[in-house]
Amino acid sequence: MTWKTTAARILFLMIVIGGAAAASAQQPPPPRPSDPTAPTQPPSAAQEGFVPVDQLPKAQDTMPAARLVAIAYAFVWVMLFGYVMSIWRRLSTVEREMQSVSRRIGTGGRTP
Amino acid sequence: MQKLFVPFAIVAAAMFVCAPFIILAAPYESTMGLVQKIFYFHAPIAMTMFVSAFVCGIGSAIFLFTRRSGADRVAVSAAELTSVLGIIVLVTGPLWARKAWGVWWEWDARLTSTLVLWLTFQAYLLLRRYGGPGSDRLAAGVGLFGMANVPFVYWSVNVWRTLHPKTSVVPTLQPGMRGPFWFCFLAFILFFMLTLHLRTRLEKRRAELEALYLAAEE
């Protein structure tokens, strides 16, 4: 594969992904405050900064936050642990294979 | 790094064991309550993902211009880590959003650009696996593009209208929240360094195995 082909492929990928990002990022213009027909915005959830409190605020909907937090943290743990185990397993497989090939070379290519 | 690996791994494991207790002790956020606790893992993982994308991009650039195989090994390892961290960010974010915004997903600038960033690194890994000869250079180009995407993802909340918290949140964190946040960030950066080292070693071993097979054939 020549450098020109590689460069052309990279350029093509950049255009496709960049185009997708630009198209998806297009937002409708924000409504003017004086416009009575403008839809009201939902209240933002601490967009500018977080305000700490000692007590939990009263629940406003039925979605249990504790379950969502538990799922989120469990997912993080499982993913991180699973990934480390996957690297470990792949590394062990390669090491075993290396030993096997080294032995084969040592015995002059004959299978034991 | 080889000598420091075990002590660093012990420190990282201890930090991950302590993290839930530190997060539990942090104050609640006034409007979001308990669900905001996801922030202490979600945001540091996202920042580590950005670091990982940069490592991949820099490794790819070095490989493209100097053809050093070591740089390529670091790049492919960082790309895989970006992909793993990216899927965590893309799953924990909606879990937080469902409670805070009332929806699992919004096609706004931050969420969409993060998805595009993750897809870019998926493209990188697919290219490496199925691209055939020359795919390493092509993938390096994709890695560079992925790195270039990071500032857009970071600034997207400040430029476009979005429900996502802005970049001003982290610098303005109150002391009770600041400590747990940076503690978790440090833990994830340590985890990133350790897994990057391990994953790069795997790539090196694979290259050595390939050389051994060639030697065995001769």
Side-chain angles (χ1 to χ4, degrees):
Chain A
M1 192 186 301
T2 63
W3 261 104
K4 281 182 183 174
T5 320
T6 311
R9 284 185 182 184
I10 292 169
L11 195 66
F12 175 73
L13 262 172
M14 285 174 79
I15 290 167
V16 169
I17 301 173
S24 63
Q26 276 183 351
Q27 299 277 321
R32 286 170 295 170
S34 57
D35 186 0
T37 59
T40 52
Q41 288 293 306
S44 65
Q47 275 191 293
E48 302 289 343
F50 294 158
V51 181
V53 288
D54 292 329
Q55 296 294 317
L56 268 176
K58 281 184 182 171
Q60 289 173 353
D61 64 34
T62 52
M63 178 62 69
R67 194 191 298 166
L68 294 171
V69 175
I71 294 170
Y73 278 85
F75 183 76
V76 173
W77 281 99
V78 167
M79 282 297 291
L80 297 184
F81 187 73
Y83 183 61
V84 170
M85 290 314 290
S86 120
I87 298 178
W88 208 263
R89 192 177 44 79
R90 285 182 280 174
L91 202 54
S92 307
T93 310
V94 172
E95 301 268 9
R96 261 201 314 273
E97 218 171 319
M98 276 181 81
Q99 281 173 0
S100 149
V101 179
S102 300
R103 269 201 304 271
R104 226 165 66 196
I105 293 171
T107 55
R110 293 187 301 272
T111 45
Chain B
M1 185 69 191
Q2 202 68 41
K3 280 181 189 171
L4 293 172
F5 185 85
V6 175
F8 275 164
I10 292 168
V11 170
M15 284 179 93
F16 277 112
V17 168
C18 293
F21 300 103
I22 291 170
I23 293 165
L24 213 65
Y28 296 109
E29 204 282 323
S30 63
T31 57
M32 289 181 278
L34 183 64
V35 83
Q36 185 266 346
K37 302 263 183 188
I38 293 177
F39 161 79
Y40 297 104
F41 265 21
H42 173 80
I45 293 174
M47 286 164 71
T48 312
M49 178 185 75
F50 290 161
V51 171
S52 184
F54 263 103
V55 170
C56 176
I58 293 165
S60 297
I62 294 172
F63 173 65
L64 273 178
F65 295 113
T66 65
R67 298 292 168 84
R68 280 188 198 164
S69 56
D72 183 47
R73 284 199 287 267
V74 170
V76 73
S77 307
E80 196 179 277
L81 263 159
T82 310
S83 171
V84 171
L85 295 169
I87 194 72
I88 296 175
V89 170
L90 288 170
V91 168
T92 54
L95 287 167
W96 182 6
R98 178 60 187 85
K99 183 74 178 174
W101 306 340
V103 288
W104 295 103
W105 185 267
E106 267 287 318
W107 289 102
D108 73 358
R110 170 56 75 90
L111 275 65
T112 310
S113 58
T114 307
L115 180 65
V116 169
L117 180 71
W118 182 75
L119 288 172
T120 308
F121 284 94
Q122 292 304 113
Y124 179 101
L125 295 172
L126 286 170
L127 264 172
R128 292 303 295 243
R129 197 171 172 89
Y130 303 109
S135 63
D136 48 356
R137 274 177 287 156
L138 187 58
V142 178
L144 268 175
F145 178 80
M147 180 180 72
N149 200 10
V150 169
F152 291 101
V153 179
Y154 181 75
W155 281 108
S156 58
V157 280
N158 300 333
V159 176
W160 286 283
R161 210 152 51 84
T162 171
L163 284 170
H164 195 281
K166 291 185 166 42
T167 53
S168 59
V169 164
V170 171
T172 59
L173 277 175
Q174 298 297 312
M177 295 174 163
R178 200 185 300 146
F181 173 81
W182 288 112
F183 180 85
C184 290
F185 176 70
L186 212 66
F188 281 109
I189 281 292
L190 205 55
F191 171 83
F192 167 72
M193 285 163 63
L194 292 167
T195 42
L196 183 73
H197 172 74
L198 215 56
R199 184 63 183 78
T200 311
R201 197 169 129 196
L202 172 63
E203 282 301 312
K204 195 178 173 195
R205 287 290 194 211
R206 278 178 175 166
E208 285 169 4
L209 180 63
E210 214 164 287
L212 265 179
Y213 269 123
L214 284 173
E217 275 175 20
E218 285 164 8

